[in-house]
Structure formats: structure tokens, C-alpha cells
């Protein structure tokens, strides 16, 4: 039988656990303590549970219950009091650790921001594909521009001005005739016994709206 198993079998499990809890000075469940000590000391889980409960009953360790789980930790009153020098040393260590923590947190934030930028950036293959698409677009636009430049059917400013004047004239006439027709139809409908829709169907009138035609915007 190994030395660790002999200690566990001879009641040494309680001593091992008590020493471990005092050295670590932090709370552990029976499962955590068993996982940390079984390889080195050969403690079985049942022995760990029994030893921790025995230590708690004896008042040598503290026990807290959280739901269905029990947590064990060293009784702080039984630990040796720290000297002023030790307390100052601990305060200095805490301050140093706090500074390290803040530096690590800031570094993590920078890395997270950098990772976010990288994830939102295009990959090299994506950039190469986008460049190829843009090159094709540029070649197409260049070709179209050359065709326009070499075309012989350009509209002169005078021709353009003439077309605009004619468009305005026809637009005004369209509006005038539509207004006249609307006024005439409204006058007829005042004495017509049926609805406007029925009148239009009987007479065979088709409106701009029936064909989805809209008055062109002024140029």
C-alpha cells in the first residue's frame, strides 16, 4: 500500500484536507478537493466527503450550504494572525496584482477591437475578386464613353432647346384639354342618374389613369 493510501486509510485524510484548506485558504467543494488531491494522496471521494464533514463537525473548518452543494474553507480565526509587515506586503501585492489586472483588461479590450475590425474587413481573395469586378466595370464604362465621343448623332444645344420648348407646349396643352374634358364630364354627370364609372363604360371613355399614364414632369 502506498504512503498516501496509508494516510487516507488511517484517518490521515482529515489531516491532509485540513492542511490543504489552510494552505490554499479558499473555499472548495468536496468534488473540487477530491479532484485536486486524489492523484497525489490517493484519496477516495467517499473518504474526502467523510473527512470534510468530520472536520466541520469538530469546528476545525467552516461549512456553507448553497442549494444542494456544500462548500468548505479554513476557519479564519484558527489561522495565525499576520504581522504588520506581512499585511503591508499583502497590500503591496494586491496593488501590484490590481495594476496587472487593469493592464490585462485594457490589452484584452484592444485585442477585441482589433479582432472586430479584422472580422469586418475583406479577406485577400475577396479584395482580389472585388478589384477584378471594378476593372471590368471601368473597361465597360471606358468603352461606352469612347462610343459616345465618336458618335456623329450628337444633339446640338439648339436642338435640345427646341425639344424642351415643344415638350412644355405639349404638356400645357395636355393639361388644358384634360381640364376641359373633366369640367364637361362633371357637368354631364350632375344630371346623370347612374355612377360616373357606369357613364364612362356606356360612352366608352378611357382615362389616363386606366392606362397608367401620368403627366410628364416639366423639364
Amino acid at each position: 500500500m502506498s504512503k498516501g493510501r496509508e494516510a487516507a486509510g488511517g484517518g490521515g485524510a482529515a489531516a491532509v484536507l485540513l492542511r490543504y484548506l489552510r494552505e490554499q485558504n479558499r473555499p472548495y467543494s468536496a468534488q473540487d478537493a477530491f479532484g485536486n488531491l486524489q492523484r497525489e494522496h490517493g484519496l477516495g471521494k467517499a473518504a474526502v466527503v467523510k473527512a470534510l464533514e468530520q472536520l466541520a463537525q469538530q469546528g476545525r473548518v467552516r461549512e456553507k450550504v448553497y442549494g444542494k452543494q456544500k462548500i468548505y474553507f479554513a476557519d479564519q480565526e484558527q489561522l495565525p494572525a499576520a504581522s504588520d509587515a506581512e499585511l503591508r506586503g499583502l497590500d503591496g501585492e494586491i496593488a501590484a496584482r490590481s495594476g496587472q489586472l487593469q493592464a490585462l483588461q485594457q490589452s484584452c479590450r484592444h485585442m477585441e477591437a482589433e479582432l472586430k475590425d479584422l472580422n469586418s474587413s475583406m479577406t485577400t481573395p475577396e479584395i482580389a475578386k472585388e478589384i477584378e469586378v471594378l476593372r471590368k466595370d471601368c473597361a465597360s464604362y471606358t468603352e461606352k464613353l469612347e462610343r459616345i465621343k465618336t458618335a456623329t448623332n450628337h444633339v446640338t444645344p439648339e436642338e435640345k432647346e427646341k425639344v424642351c420648348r415643344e415638350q412644355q407646349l405639349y404638356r400645357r396643352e395636355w393639361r388644358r384639354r384634360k381640364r376641359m374634358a373633366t369640367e364637361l364630364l362633371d357637368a354631364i354627370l350632375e344630371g346623370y342618374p347612374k355612377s360616373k364609372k357606369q357613364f364612362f363604360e356606356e360612352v366608352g371613355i378611357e382615362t389616363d389613369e386606366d392606362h397608367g399614364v401620368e403627366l410628364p414632369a416639366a423639364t
Side-chain angles (χ1 to χ4, degrees), residues 198-216:
Q198 290 175 320
F199 175 72
F200 280 16
E201 289 177 350
E202 290 180 2
V203 178
I205 297 176
E206 296 180 349
T207 65
D208 295 338
E209 291 73 19
D210 292 336
H211 294 276
V213 178
E214 296 182 358
L215 187 67

Side-chain angles (χ1 to χ4, degrees), residues 17-31:
L17 286 164
L18 180 60
R19 183 172 64 252
Y20 180 72
L21 290 177
R22 287 180 174 178
E23 289 176 351
Q24 300 300 319
N25 198 21
R26 52 160 293 183
Y28 287 99
S29 66
Q31 179 63 39

Side-chain angles (χ1 to χ4, degrees), residues 84-98:
D84 291 341
E86 289 175 329
L87 291 175
R88 287 193 296 271
L90 290 173
D91 289 339
E93 184 176 353
I94 291 172
R97 297 288 186 184
S98 298

Side-chain angles (χ1 to χ4, degrees), residues 15-142:
V16 170
L17 286 164
L18 180 60
R19 183 172 64 252
Y20 180 72
L21 290 177
R22 287 180 174 178
E23 289 176 351
Q24 300 300 319
N25 198 21
R26 52 160 293 183
Y28 287 99
S29 66
Q31 179 63 39
D32 292 336
F34 164 69
N36 295 339
L37 297 174
Q38 65 167 335
R39 178 172 298 182
E40 180 180 355
H41 298 279
L43 298 177
K45 184 175 181 180
V48 170
V49 173
K50 183 177 179 181
L52 287 172
E53 290 178 349
Q54 180 182 0
L55 289 170
Q57 292 172 0
Q58 295 173 353
R60 303 173 71 185
V61 299
R62 296 287 186 175
E63 177 187 86
K64 291 290 185 180
V65 179
Y66 296 96
K68 296 182 179 180
Q69 189 177 43
K70 294 181 179 180
I71 301 297
Y72 299 91
F73 53 93
D75 186 353
Q76 302 299 302
E77 295 181 358
Q78 297 181 20
L79 296 177
S83 65
D84 291 341
E86 289 175 329
L87 291 175
R88 287 193 296 271
L90 290 173
D91 289 339
E93 184 176 353
I94 291 172
R97 297 288 186 184
S98 298
Q100 293 175 359
L101 175 61
Q102 291 179 359
L104 288 173
Q105 289 175 335
Q106 185 176 4
S107 178
C108 287
R109 287 193 292 269
H110 290 163
M111 290 182 181
E112 288 174 353
E114 185 176 357
L115 178 61
K116 184 177 180 180
D117 292 339
L118 290 174
N119 288 335
S120 61
S121 301
M122 297 177 66
T123 63
T124 301
E126 290 174 341
I127 292 175
K129 185 177 180 180
E130 183 69 17
I131 290 174
E132 184 63 25
V133 172
L134 292 175
R135 284 177 176 171
K136 290 181 179 180
D137 290 343
C138 288
S140 176
Y141 295 145
T142 301

Side-chain angles (χ1 to χ4, degrees), residues 139-182:
S140 176
Y141 295 145
T142 301
E143 182 181 355
K144 184 177 181 179
L145 180 61
E146 290 299 324
R147 288 200 304 268
I148 294 174
K149 288 181 178 179
T150 57
T152 58
N153 58 344
H154 293 297
V155 178
T156 64
E158 292 77 12
E159 291 173 330
K160 180 180 178 180
E161 179 64 24
K162 179 182 177 182
V163 170
C164 290
R165 286 198 304 270
E166 291 177 351
Q167 193 263 358
Q168 292 176 359
L169 174 63
Y170 297 146
R171 185 173 179 274
R172 287 196 300 270
E173 187 64 18
W174 184 346
R175 293 184 62 182
R176 187 181 70 83
R177 293 191 180 190
K178 185 172 184 178
R179 183 175 62 254
M180 291 174 59
T182 301

